[in-house]
Amino acid sequence: MILEKYESRREALERELNGCADVKAAADCLGRALERLRVEARADADTPALRREADRLFEAARQAALLMVSVTEADISVKPRPVTKREKIARALPWASAGAGLLLAAWMLLIGQNAAAGLGLVSAGLGVAQAWLKRDGDTAGLQARTRVNVYELMRMTDRLAQAIDDSLSQAVQEQAALPGAGRTELTGDMLAPVQMLMEAVYTQDGGYALKAAPQLVSALNEQGVELVEYSPERREWFEMFPGTEDGLTIRPALVKEGKLLARGQATEVA
C-alpha cells in the first residue's frame, strides 16, 4: 500500500532534501511528499471510514515530520554577510588614521621634534587598536544558515511511512472483519422485488417473476452493484460450464467498485 508508493519515491525525496537551503525548506519538502501520499491513500480507500482514518494518520504524520525536522539540525554553516560600501569606509578609517599617525611621527623624527613624534606614534597605536577591536567585535557581518541531517531525517521518515502503512493495513483488516462488510445492504427498493419473486414461487407464475427483475437490477445499481456479463478478460469472475456456444453468459457476475461480490456463470465449448 503506502509503503510501496513511498519506497518508489524515496530516492527522489532524499535528493530534494539534500538540495534544501535550510530547515524551513526541508519541512516544506517533506510536507509536500506526505500530502501526495495522503491523496493516494484516500483514492485507494474503499470506504468513508478508511478515508477518514487515512486523513487522521497523515495529519499526525505531518505534525511528527515538523518535529523531526526541528530536532535533526545537524550543522550550522556560517558565511559572511555582504559588506556595504559605507561599512567598508567605516572599517578603513581607523587604519587610515593609524597610517597618518605613523607618517606624522616619521616626519617629526626627521625634523627633530621627538615629543611630537611620540604623540604621532601614540595616535597610530590607538588607530591600530581601534581597527583590531572593531574587527574582533564585528559579528553583524555574519549570517548563520541551519541545515538538516538528511540521513537521520530519511531514517526517521522510513519508520514513519512503515507505521502509517501498518496502521492502514490494520484498519483495512478491521473493516473487513465487521459484520456484513463487503455485502450489499438490503433496502426497501430491493425488498419489494424479492417479495415479487417469492410470490411467483408461491403462485407458480414464471411470467410474474420476470417482472421483478428490472426493479431488482435498478435497486442494485443504486447501491453501486453492477451486473457484468462474461468476456474473456473477465474470465476469473465466472464459473465455466461446457456448452455448445462459447462465452454465453448464464448468470452475470456481481461487482461493486471493481471488486467481485458474487461469481457468475458462463459456457465454453469443450
Side-chain angles (χ1 to χ4, degrees):
M1 292 180 66
I2 292 302
L3 192 59
E4 293 179 0
K5 292 181 172 64
Y6 166 75
E7 289 178 346
S8 67
R9 303 169 185 169
R10 188 184 186 282
E11 290 185 4
L13 175 60
E14 188 171 4
R15 286 195 300 270
E16 192 172 354
L17 286 172
N18 277 315
C20 291
D22 52 27
V23 172
K24 182 181 182 303
D28 293 340
C29 172
L30 190 53
R32 290 191 298 269
L34 289 173
E35 178 61 18
R36 288 192 291 266
L37 288 174
R38 184 191 70 83
V39 171
E40 294 184 1
R42 281 184 59 87
D44 293 341
D46 296 330
T47 65
L50 289 176
R51 287 190 285 272
R52 288 193 298 271
E53 179 67 8
D55 288 338
R56 184 187 69 81
L57 288 171
F58 275 96
E59 175 59 24
R62 189 180 68 83
Q63 298 296 333
L66 293 176
L67 292 175
M68 288 193 307
V69 170
S70 67
V71 300
T72 54
E73 296 177 6
D75 56 273
I76 298 178
S77 55
V78 181
K79 61 179 181 180
R81 176 173 57 82
V83 182
T84 65
K85 186 176 181 180
R86 178 177 296 180
E87 289 173 335
K88 290 180 180 179
I89 294 174
R91 292 181 182 182
L93 285 176
W95 293 104
S97 175
L102 288 175
L103 288 175
L104 179 61
W107 176 254
M108 289 297 103
L109 286 173
L110 288 176
I111 63 176
Q113 298 292 330
N114 295 333
L119 290 175
L121 288 174
V122 171
S123 176
L126 290 175
V128 171
Q130 183 181 3
W132 185 265
L133 292 173
K134 184 174 179 60
R135 189 199 67 171
D136 289 345
D138 187 13
T139 57
L142 300 177
Q143 287 182 338
R145 183 166 61 97
T146 57
R147 293 177 60 86
V148 297
N149 185 329
V150 176
Y151 173 79
E152 288 296 328
L153 181 59
M154 290 303 302
R155 189 170 63 87
M156 288 190 284
T157 305
D158 292 344
R159 294 181 181 178
L160 185 61
Q162 181 67 63
I164 294 174
D165 188 78
D166 291 344
S167 297
L168 282 177
S169 298
Q170 183 178 356
V172 170
Q173 294 175 2
E174 291 175 353
Q175 186 79 12
L178 293 175
R183 301 176 186 174
T184 303
E185 183 180 352
L186 290 177
T187 63
D189 293 337
M190 294 185 65
L191 294 177
V194 170
Q195 287 180 310
M196 292 175 65
L197 289 173
M198 293 309 301
E199 182 180 346
V201 171
Y202 294 149
T203 61
Q204 298 295 309
D205 187 349
Y208 186 71
L210 293 177
K211 294 180 181 179
Q215 295 184 42
L216 189 58
V217 171
S218 177
L220 288 172
N221 289 337
E222 287 180 0
Q223 294 197 22
V225 179
E226 299 179 75
L227 279 71
V228 179
E229 295 186 354
Y230 173 81
S231 63
E233 60 271 15
R234 296 168 177 165
R235 182 184 177 89
E236 69 275 7
W237 288 356
F238 289 82
E239 297 177 3
M240 305 304 296
F241 293 92
T244 58
E245 184 176 348
D246 196 30
L248 179 65
T249 301
I250 302 173
R251 178 186 299 175
L254 299 181
V255 179
K256 183 175 182 180
E257 297 178 352
K259 294 186 176 181
L260 182 66
L261 299 180
R263 292 168 65 88
Q265 295 178 354
T267 60
E268 61 180 354
V269 178

